[in-house]
Amino acid sequence: MITLKRINISFDKTIISNNDILELGVNQRYNLQNQTFYINNKVINLTKKENDILYILCKNLNQNISYECLLEYVWGDKNISNSTIRDTISRLK
């Protein structure tokens, strides 16, 4: 299982404002509507896979997400290993 906590983002201070923006930590925000991640008000460019993973984790705050769920949502029918998922998440840290 993967949770957003593992990506070094603090749940304690997560605030949802305007139903679209998650305040994830010190100067870290994620806009759910346009799927944009900001640090210090600067857009952080993520790969498509990184963004898909961050989106599904943000949509499911405080819930465990299985590798199978991430695999289906991000990679679809492709046959990839759990290490590929871990490597993609590692780049988000």
Side-chain angles (χ1 to χ4, degrees), residues 1-3 56-57 63-73 75 82 85 89:
M1 300 289 181
I2 303 295
T3 64
I56 196 169
L57 292 174
Q63 297 179 33
N64 290 324
I65 305 296
S66 69
Y67 280 99
E68 292 79 17
C69 181
L70 288 174
L71 174 64
E72 182 178 324
Y73 181 79
W75 283 272
N82 286 350
I85 298 171
I89 291 171

Short mmCIF file of all heavy atoms in Angstrom, two decimals, residues 1-3 56-57 63-73 75 82 85 89:
data_model
loop_
_atom_site.label_atom_id
_atom_site.label_comp_id
_atom_site.label_asym_id
_atom_site.label_seq_id
_atom_site.Cartn_x
_atom_site.Cartn_y
_atom_site.Cartn_z
N MET A 1 0.83 -1.18 0.00
CA MET A 1 0.00 0.00 0.00
C MET A 1 0.88 1.25 0.00
O MET A 1 1.92 1.28 0.62
CB MET A 1 -0.88 0.04 1.24
CG MET A 1 -1.82 -1.11 1.39
SD MET A 1 -3.10 -1.00 0.16
CE MET A 1 -4.03 -2.42 0.59
N ILE A 2 0.42 2.28 -0.67
CA ILE A 2 1.13 3.55 -0.76
C ILE A 2 0.21 4.62 -0.20
O ILE A 2 -0.96 4.66 -0.52
CB ILE A 2 1.46 3.90 -2.22
CG1 ILE A 2 2.28 2.81 -2.88
CG2 ILE A 2 2.16 5.23 -2.31
CD1 ILE A 2 3.65 2.61 -2.29
N THR A 3 0.74 5.48 0.63
CA THR A 3 -0.02 6.62 1.11
C THR A 3 0.77 7.87 0.84
O THR A 3 1.97 7.84 0.64
CB THR A 3 -0.31 6.53 2.63
OG1 THR A 3 0.93 6.57 3.33
CG2 THR A 3 -1.08 5.28 2.97
N ILE A 56 -4.10 10.75 -7.89
CA ILE A 56 -4.89 9.69 -7.24
C ILE A 56 -4.64 9.67 -5.73
O ILE A 56 -5.55 9.43 -4.94
CB ILE A 56 -4.66 8.31 -7.88
CG1 ILE A 56 -5.77 7.34 -7.44
CG2 ILE A 56 -3.31 7.76 -7.55
CD1 ILE A 56 -5.80 6.05 -8.20
N LEU A 57 -3.42 9.97 -5.31
CA LEU A 57 -3.14 10.02 -3.87
C LEU A 57 -3.85 11.21 -3.22
O LEU A 57 -4.39 11.09 -2.13
CB LEU A 57 -1.63 10.08 -3.62
CG LEU A 57 -0.85 8.82 -3.99
CD1 LEU A 57 0.64 9.06 -3.84
CD2 LEU A 57 -1.29 7.63 -3.15
N GLN A 63 -6.05 7.51 2.84
CA GLN A 63 -6.47 6.16 2.49
C GLN A 63 -5.29 5.44 1.87
O GLN A 63 -4.46 6.04 1.20
CB GLN A 63 -7.61 6.19 1.48
CG GLN A 63 -8.87 6.84 2.01
CD GLN A 63 -9.95 6.86 0.96
OE1 GLN A 63 -10.05 5.97 0.13
NE2 GLN A 63 -10.76 7.89 0.99
N ASN A 64 -5.21 4.16 2.11
CA ASN A 64 -4.18 3.35 1.46
C ASN A 64 -4.59 3.07 0.03
O ASN A 64 -5.75 2.79 -0.25
CB ASN A 64 -3.98 2.02 2.19
CG ASN A 64 -3.33 2.21 3.53
OD1 ASN A 64 -2.48 3.07 3.71
ND2 ASN A 64 -3.73 1.42 4.50
N ILE A 65 -3.63 3.17 -0.87
CA ILE A 65 -3.86 2.88 -2.27
C ILE A 65 -2.98 1.69 -2.63
O ILE A 65 -1.77 1.72 -2.43
CB ILE A 65 -3.48 4.09 -3.17
CG1 ILE A 65 -4.20 5.36 -2.72
CG2 ILE A 65 -3.76 3.77 -4.63
CD1 ILE A 65 -5.70 5.31 -2.86
N SER A 66 -3.57 0.66 -3.17
CA SER A 66 -2.81 -0.54 -3.50
C SER A 66 -2.00 -0.33 -4.78
O SER A 66 -2.30 0.53 -5.60
CB SER A 66 -3.75 -1.73 -3.69
OG SER A 66 -4.52 -1.56 -4.87
N TYR A 67 -0.96 -1.15 -4.91
CA TYR A 67 -0.19 -1.14 -6.14
C TYR A 67 -1.09 -1.45 -7.32
O TYR A 67 -0.96 -0.86 -8.40
CB TYR A 67 0.95 -2.17 -6.08
CG TYR A 67 2.15 -1.69 -5.32
CD1 TYR A 67 2.35 -2.07 -4.00
CD2 TYR A 67 3.09 -0.87 -5.91
CE1 TYR A 67 3.46 -1.64 -3.29
CE2 TYR A 67 4.19 -0.43 -5.20
CZ TYR A 67 4.37 -0.82 -3.89
OH TYR A 67 5.46 -0.38 -3.19
N GLU A 68 -2.03 -2.36 -7.14
CA GLU A 68 -2.93 -2.74 -8.21
C GLU A 68 -3.78 -1.56 -8.67
O GLU A 68 -4.01 -1.37 -9.87
CB GLU A 68 -3.84 -3.90 -7.77
CG GLU A 68 -3.11 -5.21 -7.55
CD GLU A 68 -2.36 -5.28 -6.21
OE1 GLU A 68 -2.65 -4.48 -5.28
OE2 GLU A 68 -1.46 -6.13 -6.10
N CYS A 69 -4.24 -0.76 -7.72
CA CYS A 69 -5.04 0.42 -8.06
C CYS A 69 -4.19 1.42 -8.84
O CYS A 69 -4.63 1.96 -9.85
CB CYS A 69 -5.59 1.05 -6.78
SG CYS A 69 -6.60 2.51 -7.07
N LEU A 70 -2.96 1.67 -8.36
CA LEU A 70 -2.07 2.59 -9.07
C LEU A 70 -1.76 2.06 -10.46
O LEU A 70 -1.76 2.82 -11.44
CB LEU A 70 -0.78 2.81 -8.29
CG LEU A 70 -0.89 3.65 -7.02
CD1 LEU A 70 0.43 3.66 -6.27
CD2 LEU A 70 -1.34 5.06 -7.35
N LEU A 71 -1.50 0.78 -10.56
CA LEU A 71 -1.19 0.16 -11.84
C LEU A 71 -2.33 0.37 -12.82
O LEU A 71 -2.12 0.81 -13.96
CB LEU A 71 -0.90 -1.33 -11.65
CG LEU A 71 -0.68 -2.15 -12.91
CD1 LEU A 71 0.56 -1.68 -13.64
CD2 LEU A 71 -0.55 -3.62 -12.55
N GLU A 72 -3.54 0.09 -12.39
CA GLU A 72 -4.69 0.23 -13.27
C GLU A 72 -4.93 1.68 -13.68
O GLU A 72 -5.18 1.98 -14.84
CB GLU A 72 -5.94 -0.33 -12.58
CG GLU A 72 -7.18 -0.29 -13.43
CD GLU A 72 -8.37 -0.89 -12.72
OE1 GLU A 72 -8.20 -1.86 -11.96
OE2 GLU A 72 -9.48 -0.37 -12.91
N TYR A 73 -4.86 2.60 -12.71
CA TYR A 73 -5.15 4.01 -12.98
C TYR A 73 -4.07 4.66 -13.84
O TYR A 73 -4.36 5.41 -14.76
CB TYR A 73 -5.33 4.78 -11.67
CG TYR A 73 -5.66 6.23 -11.89
CD1 TYR A 73 -6.94 6.62 -12.23
CD2 TYR A 73 -4.68 7.22 -11.77
CE1 TYR A 73 -7.25 7.95 -12.45
CE2 TYR A 73 -4.97 8.55 -12.00
CZ TYR A 73 -6.26 8.92 -12.34
OH TYR A 73 -6.56 10.22 -12.57
N TRP A 75 -1.11 3.07 -15.39
CA TRP A 75 -0.52 2.33 -16.51
C TRP A 75 -1.54 1.55 -17.33
O TRP A 75 -1.21 0.99 -18.36
CB TRP A 75 0.59 1.41 -16.02
CG TRP A 75 1.84 2.14 -15.71
CD1 TRP A 75 2.86 2.43 -16.58
CD2 TRP A 75 2.23 2.68 -14.45
NE1 TRP A 75 3.85 3.12 -15.93
CE2 TRP A 75 3.49 3.29 -14.61
CE3 TRP A 75 1.65 2.71 -13.19
CZ2 TRP A 75 4.17 3.92 -13.59
CZ3 TRP A 75 2.32 3.35 -12.16
CH2 TRP A 75 3.56 3.95 -12.36
N ASN A 82 6.16 -3.88 -9.67
CA ASN A 82 5.98 -2.98 -8.53
C ASN A 82 7.15 -2.04 -8.38
O ASN A 82 7.01 -0.91 -7.89
CB ASN A 82 5.79 -3.79 -7.24
CG ASN A 82 4.42 -4.43 -7.16
OD1 ASN A 82 3.53 -4.13 -7.96
ND2 ASN A 82 4.25 -5.32 -6.21
N ILE A 85 6.53 1.16 -10.20
CA ILE A 85 5.65 2.05 -9.43
C ILE A 85 6.45 2.73 -8.33
O ILE A 85 6.37 3.95 -8.15
CB ILE A 85 4.46 1.27 -8.84
CG1 ILE A 85 3.61 0.67 -9.97
CG2 ILE A 85 3.61 2.16 -7.94
CD1 ILE A 85 2.54 -0.30 -9.51
N ILE A 89 7.17 6.79 -7.81
CA ILE A 89 6.84 7.47 -6.55
C ILE A 89 8.10 8.09 -5.94
O ILE A 89 8.07 9.20 -5.42
CB ILE A 89 6.16 6.50 -5.57
CG1 ILE A 89 4.78 6.16 -6.11
CG2 ILE A 89 6.08 7.09 -4.18
CD1 ILE A 89 4.07 5.05 -5.37
#
